[in-house]
Amino acid sequence: SSVEQKELPELKWTGDKINLVEVIYGLYFTGQLNNGNADISVIIRFMEKHMQIDLSRAYRDFLDIRSRKKTSPTRYIEQMGDSIQKRIDDDMTLKQTAKKRF
């Protein structure tokens, strides 16, 4: 198909830097990029370029993530999962409410 491709707007990471580092390491450890062959430094550089953020401390940030004591090392990824689940639950509630009206 010859769908005209529109230029995508730029995206900039505006959340906490450590949360992006958590996502990067999650992608790396689960082998989601280049059939599991993407090097962590390449993923970091890719995210730096495309998310317009300095990740020069990414390894140090990972050490901080690894040493989290009070909370889970993957608290941001878990927060993402909780947010997705809440949206699904909210959508299901809306569907059931709509069915009851008709």
Side-chain angles (χ1 to χ4, degrees):
S1 66
S2 62
V3 176
E4 188 176 323
Q5 184 153 6
K6 296 179 181 176
E7 191 171 322
L8 292 173
E10 288 188 15
L11 293 175
K12 182 176 184 170
W13 185 268
T14 55
D16 291 342
K17 194 179 289 191
I18 199 160
N19 292 344
L20 181 57
V21 171
E22 188 177 317
V23 169
I24 288 168
Y25 275 89
L27 292 168
Y28 174 68
F29 291 135
T30 58
Q32 301 300 301
L33 303 169
N34 295 354
N35 297 309
N37 296 313
D39 188 73
I40 189 66
S41 63
V42 173
I43 300 169
I44 290 168
R45 287 197 322 263
F46 178 90
M47 291 295 195
E48 275 186 314
K49 178 181 178 186
H50 293 283
M51 293 292 166
Q52 304 178 45
I53 187 167
D54 174 18
L55 295 173
S56 58
R57 291 183 33 88
Y59 181 70
R60 170 77 47 207
D61 289 338
F62 177 69
L63 293 178
D64 291 344
I65 289 168
R66 197 173 68 179
S67 66
R68 288 176 180 165
K69 297 278 190 263
K70 291 183 181 177
T71 60
S72 166
T74 56
R75 65 179 173 217
Y76 178 65
I77 291 172
E78 290 168 17
Q79 179 186 350
M80 288 173 65
D82 291 345
S83 296
I84 292 168
Q85 187 62 56
K86 182 182 181 328
R87 175 59 190 253
I88 291 168
D89 293 345
D90 291 349
D91 287 352
M92 294 305 292
T93 301
L94 284 175
K95 278 184 182 177
Q96 290 172 354
T97 303
K99 279 184 183 177
K100 289 178 184 173
R101 281 193 232 150
F102 296 106

